[in-house]
C-alpha cells in the first residue's frame, strides 16, 4: 500500500496581490477571466497579472 499526502492552499485575491507585491512585482492586477473581465463574486476564475520592476 502506498500513501501520499496532499497539501492544498487556497488564497484570496487580496492575499495573492500582497504576495506578488512582497516578491517585488510593482504593478499587480486581478481579473475574473483571461479576457480581462472584472473580478467579483460571480467570477469563474481568478487571474493575477503582475509586472516586475527591474
Amino acid at each position: 500500500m502506498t500513501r501520499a499526502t496532499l497539501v492544498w492552499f487556497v488564497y484570496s485575491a487580496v492575499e495573492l496581490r500582497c504576495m506578488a507585491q512582497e516578491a517585488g512585482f510593482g504593478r499587480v492586477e486581478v481579473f475574473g477571466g483571461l479576457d480581462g473581465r472584472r473580478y467579483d463574486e460571480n467570477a469563474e476564475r481568478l487571474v493575477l497579472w503582475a509586472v516586475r520592476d527591474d
Side-chain angles (χ1 to χ4, degrees):
M1 177 197 276
T2 302
R3 291 184 173 238
T5 301
L6 174 66
V7 179
W8 188 291
F9 295 96
V10 178
Y11 297 102
S12 70
V14 172
E15 291 171 314
L16 289 171
R17 179 189 298 271
C18 287
M19 286 189 282
Q21 290 171 332
E22 288 173 5
F25 291 89
R27 184 173 174 196
V28 181
E29 295 186 45
V30 176
F31 301 102
L34 295 174
D35 59 358
R37 74 182 75 170
R38 183 178 167 197
Y39 180 74
D40 59 19
E41 68 277 357
N42 298 314
E44 295 178 12
R45 58 180 44 105
L46 189 158
V47 176
L48 186 87
W49 181 81
V51 176
R52 187 170 185 134
D53 297 330
D54 289 330

